[in-house]
Amino acid sequence: MNGRGNRRRFVAAMLSFLQPGIGHVYLREWVRAVLWGTVWLGSLLLVLTTAGLELTARNLLATAGGFFSAVDGFPMEAALAMFAITVFATMDAYWLAAREDYRIDDTPRCPNCSKELDPSLEFCHWCTARLDEK
């Protein structure tokens, strides 16, 4: 594994830990970035309403900007739920970066299923797709 791949995994995971979805933007996984950002923001709004806090722009910005300092006003279950969402988003960003590094290696892969090819065959032994000879 090269140093670039390890750094990319670490940066994606750290960005996702700071704000779920940002690590996915770094990886250019736009759909997942929107999904994680929406899940996190929706959960934050749900926590704020169930904790009895006002939904003002100032409270939202203060809570989102300093989430760990704002957790004092949250019920324990709500804080754990928000932390779990953050951890899962972080793990997903790390996994995506690791998967992308795996696909960059020099082994020949099937253009149909992306699995490793047997060079002695004229077809993919995984999905049976015919391979063009080059």
Side-chain angles (χ1 to χ4, degrees):
M1 178 58 52
N2 60 13
R4 181 183 182 277
N6 287 335
R7 184 180 64 225
R8 185 173 169 86
R9 293 177 191 183
F10 179 73
V11 169
M14 286 290 84
L15 288 172
S16 247
F17 184 75
L18 293 174
Q19 175 61 54
I22 300 298
H24 296 83
V25 169
Y26 173 74
L27 296 173
R28 296 184 181 153
E29 292 284 340
W30 310 115
V31 173
R32 285 187 182 212
V34 170
L35 176 74
W36 281 113
T38 303
V39 166
W40 190 84
L41 185 61
S43 299
L44 179 63
L45 291 174
L46 184 66
V47 165
L48 288 175
T49 56
T50 57
L53 301 174
E54 293 181 32
L55 287 179
T56 63
R58 185 172 186 212
N59 280 350
L60 284 176
L61 288 175
T63 303
F67 176 73
F68 292 107
S69 63
V71 169
D72 290 337
F74 289 1
M76 178 61 109
E77 299 83 13
L80 286 175
M82 294 301 296
F83 184 71
I85 291 169
T86 302
V87 167
F88 286 131
T90 302
M91 290 180 354
D92 186 53
Y94 182 87
W95 177 77
L96 280 174
R99 183 181 72 172
E100 196 171 293
D101 289 341
Y102 170 74
R103 290 184 176 174
I104 294 176
D105 62 359
D106 292 337
T107 57
R109 299 204 173 270
C110 173
N112 189 37
C113 68
S114 298
K115 294 192 177 180
E116 191 172 337
L117 291 173
D118 183 355
S120 64
L121 299 175
E122 294 179 4
F123 63 94
C124 175
H125 64 281
W126 296 101
C127 69
T128 67
R130 296 229 17 108
L131 303 173
D132 296 332
E133 292 198 27
K134 295 179 182 175

